[in-house]
Amino acid sequence: MKLQFIDILIIVVYLITMIVIGVLLKKKASKNLDSYFLGGKSLPFYLLGLSDASGMFDISGTMWMVYLAFVYGFKSLWIPWLWPVFNQVFLMIYLSVWLRRSNVLTGAEWIRTRFGYGRGANLSHTIVILYALMGVLGFLSYGFIGIGKFMEVFFPWEFVSQYIPLHLETASVAQVYGIFFTGIATFYVMLGGMHSIVWADVVQFSIMTISGIIIAVIAMNKVSPEMLAAHTPAGWDSPSFGWTLDLDWSNLIPSIMDKINEDQYSLFTIFVMMMLFKGIFMSMAGPAANYDMQKILACKSPKEAALMSGSVSVILLIPRYLMIMGFTVLALVFFSQDFNNMGSNIDFETILPRAINEFAHVGLVGLLLAGLLSAFMSTFASTVNAAQAYLVNDVFLKYIHKKASAVTQIRVSYIVSALVVIISTIIGMYVSNINSVLQWIVSALYGGYIAANVLKWHWWRFNGNGFFWGMLSGIIAALIAPMFFPDILPLYYFPVLLFVSVTGCITGTLLSKPTEEKVLIDFYIKVRPWGFWKPIIQKAMAQYPDLKENKNFKRDMFNIVIGIIWQCSLTLIPMYIVIKQGFPLFTSMLILGITSLILKKNWYDKMNIEEKEYNEFMKKNF
């Protein structure tokens, strides 16, 4: 273990700083729920964007992406479409504007603006809360597993037990570390709410950016292109692919071929097509009920919400991929023989901590650990904040204590935080690895979310009953599908989940009355979506002749295609920097410049004009 006094001091100072931020912002956050959960909608978009990016720079995800880059090389560019990463482009182009115009506190509260207050609306409100909690518990469990595995490498229990007289089985060490660090993250988010999260994220992302640059520089100094080529198969350094993956590790690390078969990515074209198919629908559904949605709702205005979503890709991708590729190339050149000796027992999720232990110097180890700890805490804290918002605002205040004082509301938020963390920790103790949780969240659980949440934006006849039965059938299908497809990647049975959910949506809608006309008119006037809204638009225009229909579908879709290319170039640039390939780097930068110019002309400039017209209309009529 290479941890020296200075490394431990850096980590301790970082942890104390996080706690101090929570204590200092406690008073400001505790004014009311709006201040506690959304920062009073007073924070600038670039801080919220940095905070959102910091939340996505999580330690479990980074460990997973280092594994992807190691095994799949530049083709790992496409695999995060499982989330999908390009949902940020959809949010930037139009969805963040639509969502922020609702001016609500949570996604469940948003349901009231779309479906009103009838029986169907109450059912849909309930199912959103249920879904949000399932997602939150899944993400918190995923983070708990990652942080425990990561810290176990640097703090072996035989060393720590000299100072803490406690006997632990080997399997329990990672869990104890997970409990310790989740406890600190819970403390500062409990006290400071969204204010605490955002300002802690500023500190955290600064540390992560510095760490990413340093590790990339180390990798570039230690690994030449020739050394890298000798340890990677043909095609590893290219993002292009054919019908199959065409990466042959047989003569380098044969056991990787077994891992590729286990991942079920071999038929790569089909895999990418399925990710794109699922990703488009998932992105059109809007953000899931998690911290990403809360950051959008916390923005000052719809325009700032769009800018915040766009800034996430700019802020996140370059420093994150400098770090990922730095660790990857170091591991490829210096750990390949070790991995060969392990045979089928390779644990790729330890590449990241092993690389830090091997290549970072005194002081840098502490900085990197603080940075990756901060990545975990940022994600964890934002997710806990989202859980608080739903349980307090949408359950406690709606059904238990409608007239609770601000002090009571904040105290209940503290209790909720603790309970959510305890439950997710217990779940995390029974999960074997990061990837199993990740695949369930992004491919199975999200399968139940998509259909209802696409239709809510785009079809006027869709109602609360349809939303409830679509979500419920999708969630149930997501829970039982692994029993019927135990050996199949969840992505591949996504169409089955989608079909079940769409059937539930349409059946529930057509067997019940439409949403109240006034609610639909108010929703369209306020949010202004495109889609199948003609009967409502006609009635709205009869009341407000100066109302402008949203006819931007084709333009938005074109901008999304450009935006996805723009986002991919942001990912490739740091990857090419680290492996020192000049011409592909220049090409990626050229593509970035061209796509940025197109988005400036065809998205940003036109959004400014339309937002001004929208504000003038709302001011005149309301």
Side-chain angles (χ1 to χ4, degrees):
M1 185 180 70
K2 292 178 63 176
L3 279 180
Q4 304 296 324
F5 174 76
I6 186 66
D7 301 311
I8 296 173
L9 181 63
I10 289 171
I11 296 169
V12 170
V13 168
Y14 161 72
L15 293 175
I16 292 173
T17 301
M18 295 302 98
I19 293 172
V20 169
I21 286 174
V23 172
L24 291 178
L25 293 172
K26 179 177 182 293
K27 183 177 180 180
K28 190 172 185 178
S30 61
K31 291 178 181 177
N32 51 52
L33 286 189
D34 195 63
S35 181
Y36 188 78
F37 293 130
L38 300 180
K41 296 176 184 172
S42 63
L43 295 164
F45 79 87
Y46 49 85
L47 281 184
L48 287 165
L50 188 150
S51 177
D52 207 17
S54 184
M56 295 175 190
F57 202 146
D58 66 293
I59 191 169
S60 300
T62 302
M63 290 169 71
W64 179 65
M65 292 171 81
V66 168
Y67 150 67
L68 293 179
F70 187 102
V71 173
Y72 298 98
F74 276 60
K75 293 167 183 59
S76 66
L77 164 75
W78 312 110
I79 300 175
W81 281 13
L82 279 166
W83 287 106
V85 292
F86 57 73
N87 77 313
Q88 289 297 323
V89 177
F90 281 76
L91 292 172
M92 174 181 78
I93 298 301
Y94 68 93
L95 272 172
S96 287
V97 170
W98 293 3
L99 182 62
R100 179 59 184 82
R101 283 174 177 172
S102 62
N103 203 34
V104 296
L105 191 70
T106 67
E109 188 177 340
W110 181 92
I111 288 295
R112 299 299 188 188
T113 70
R114 175 62 177 84
F115 300 125
Y117 286 87
R119 180 175 180 273
N122 291 335
L123 288 172
S124 60
H125 182 264
T126 302
I127 200 72
V128 166
I129 296 170
L130 175 63
Y131 176 85
L133 292 179
M134 290 176 67
V136 162
L137 291 174
F139 272 111
L140 293 180
S141 300
Y142 157 81
F144 172 81
I145 299 164
I147 191 64
K149 276 193 169 187
F150 182 82
M151 297 310 295
E152 187 178 16
V153 174
F154 296 96
F155 293 93
W157 190 250
E158 56 267 26
F159 172 78
V160 177
S161 61
Q162 299 175 39
Y163 306 95
I164 302 176
L166 179 66
H167 175 72
L168 289 178
E169 299 295 332
T170 302
S172 302
V173 175
Q175 296 174 352
V176 170
Y177 288 146
I179 291 170
F180 175 75
F181 290 106
T182 56
I184 294 176
T186 304
F187 179 79
Y188 83 74
V189 73
M190 277 173 58
L191 293 182
M194 182 64 81
H195 286 285
S196 177
I197 289 169
V198 170
W199 285 108
D201 285 347
V202 171
V203 175
Q204 292 165 345
F205 197 81
S206 300
I207 295 172
M208 288 184 284
T209 300
I210 294 169
S211 302
I213 293 170
I214 291 173
I215 203 66
V217 170
I218 291 173
M220 292 170 71
N221 286 333
K222 285 185 173 289
V223 178
S224 68
E226 294 74 22
M227 293 169 68
L228 184 62
H231 289 85
T232 54
W236 184 92
D237 58 353
S238 171
S240 62
F241 55 90
W243 182 254
T244 57
L245 185 62
D246 296 328
L247 281 177
D248 187 2
W249 284 94
S250 302
N251 297 323
L252 295 167
I253 309 177
S255 58
I256 288 182
M257 300 306 295
D258 296 330
K259 188 64 179 173
I260 291 173
N261 290 331
E262 181 185 325
D263 287 342
Q264 301 180 44
Y265 299 165
S266 296
L267 295 175
F268 208 66
T269 294
I270 292 177
F271 174 66
V272 171
M273 288 171 63
M274 285 297 300
M275 286 194 297
L276 188 61
F277 171 75
K278 179 183 79 76
I280 288 171
F281 283 107
M282 187 170 164
S283 299
M284 290 181 70
N290 58 24
Y291 63 84
D292 200 18
M293 181 181 287
Q294 294 307 114
K295 299 288 171 60
I296 293 169
L297 294 173
C299 289
K300 293 179 181 179
S301 67
K303 176 186 171 182
E304 290 219 352
L307 293 173
M308 187 280 291
S309 296
S311 71
V312 170
S313 296
V314 177
I315 294 168
L316 173 66
L317 292 175
I318 291 178
R320 188 178 200 188
Y321 272 89
L322 283 174
M323 178 180 286
I324 288 167
M325 288 305 294
F327 284 129
T328 298
V329 300
L330 287 169
L332 279 164
V333 172
F334 297 103
F335 296 165
S336 288
Q337 188 57 50
D338 290 345
F339 288 151
N340 244 329
N341 296 337
M342 293 179 189
S344 60
N345 296 319
I346 298 176
D347 184 357
F348 286 102
E349 291 172 358
T350 64
I351 292 175
L352 183 61
R354 283 193 64 189
I356 294 175
N357 222 6
E358 181 71 25
F359 298 107
H361 304 294
V362 175
L364 177 57
V365 174
L367 187 67
L368 287 167
L369 288 182
L372 290 162
L373 267 175
S374 69
F376 157 74
M377 289 192 174
S378 175
T379 309
F380 192 90
S382 293
T383 306
V384 171
N385 178 263
Q388 291 174 308
Y390 281 88
L391 286 171
V392 177
N393 185 68
D394 297 303
V395 177
F396 179 74
L397 290 179
K398 295 293 189 298
Y399 303 111
I400 300 173
H401 195 342
K402 295 181 180 181
K403 297 182 179 180
S405 66
V407 173
T408 301
Q409 293 171 21
I410 301 302
R411 286 176 179 171
V412 171
S413 298
Y414 295 166
I415 296 170
V416 165
S417 299
L419 288 174
V420 166
V421 172
I422 290 169
I423 293 170
S424 65
T425 298
I426 293 171
I427 294 171
M429 289 179 176
Y430 291 93
V431 177
S432 59
N433 60 62
I434 295 170
N435 196 53
S436 62
V437 183
L438 178 71
Q439 291 290 349
W440 183 80
I441 292 172
V442 302
S443 297
L445 182 60
Y446 278 6
Y449 169 85
I450 293 171
N453 285 277
V454 170
L455 290 172
K456 76 183 182 186
W457 293 113
H458 304 299
W459 184 29
W460 75 270
R461 180 61 177 83
F462 188 55
N463 60 18
N465 281 290
F467 188 94
F468 171 78
W469 289 109
M471 285 278 286
L472 183 64
S473 58
I475 289 173
I476 291 173
L479 291 172
I480 67 174
M483 301 176 190
F484 294 93
F485 308 102
D487 300 318
I488 297 178
L489 191 70
L491 175 70
Y492 295 141
Y493 57 74
F494 165 74
V496 176
L497 302 180
L498 185 64
F499 174 78
V500 170
S501 188
V502 168
T503 302
C505 288
I506 295 175
T507 303
T509 296
L510 298 182
L511 292 179
S512 55
K513 295 179 180 179
T515 302
E516 186 182 348
E517 190 175 279
K518 183 181 182 304
V519 173
L520 292 173
I521 292 173
D522 288 346
F523 174 81
Y524 184 81
I525 289 171
K526 182 184 291 185
V527 175
R528 216 72 62 83
W530 39 254
F532 301 97
W533 287 91
K534 189 172 182 180
I536 303 305
I537 293 170
Q538 291 173 343
K539 291 174 181 177
M541 285 184 168
Q543 296 180 33
Y544 304 97
D546 56 338
L547 176 69
K548 283 193 175 183
E549 180 183 353
N550 185 344
K551 297 181 179 181
N552 296 334
F553 170 73
K554 291 181 180 179
R555 191 187 79 201
D556 288 346
M557 291 301 104
F558 173 78
N559 285 337
I560 282 166
V561 172
I562 298 299
I564 292 174
I565 297 170
W566 170 79
Q567 188 186 62
C568 287
S569 66
L570 280 170
T571 305
L572 286 171
I573 286 170
M575 296 174 79
Y576 282 125
I577 287 173
V578 173
I579 69 167
K580 295 180 279 191
Q581 285 200 13
F583 182 72
L585 173 61
F586 172 76
T587 304
S588 299
M589 293 176 69
L590 182 62
I591 293 171
L592 178 66
I594 293 170
T595 52
S596 297
L597 183 61
I598 294 172
L599 289 173
K600 165 68 168 61
K601 298 291 186 182
N602 206 44
W603 165 65
Y604 180 77
D605 291 348
K606 292 181 179 179
M607 178 179 67
N608 280 338
I609 295 170
E610 289 168 358
E611 195 66 13
K612 183 179 179 181
E613 292 174 348
Y614 174 87
N615 291 335
E616 288 174 352
F617 170 84
M618 296 300 288
K619 186 176 180 180
K620 175 183 175 183
N621 293 283
F622 298 95

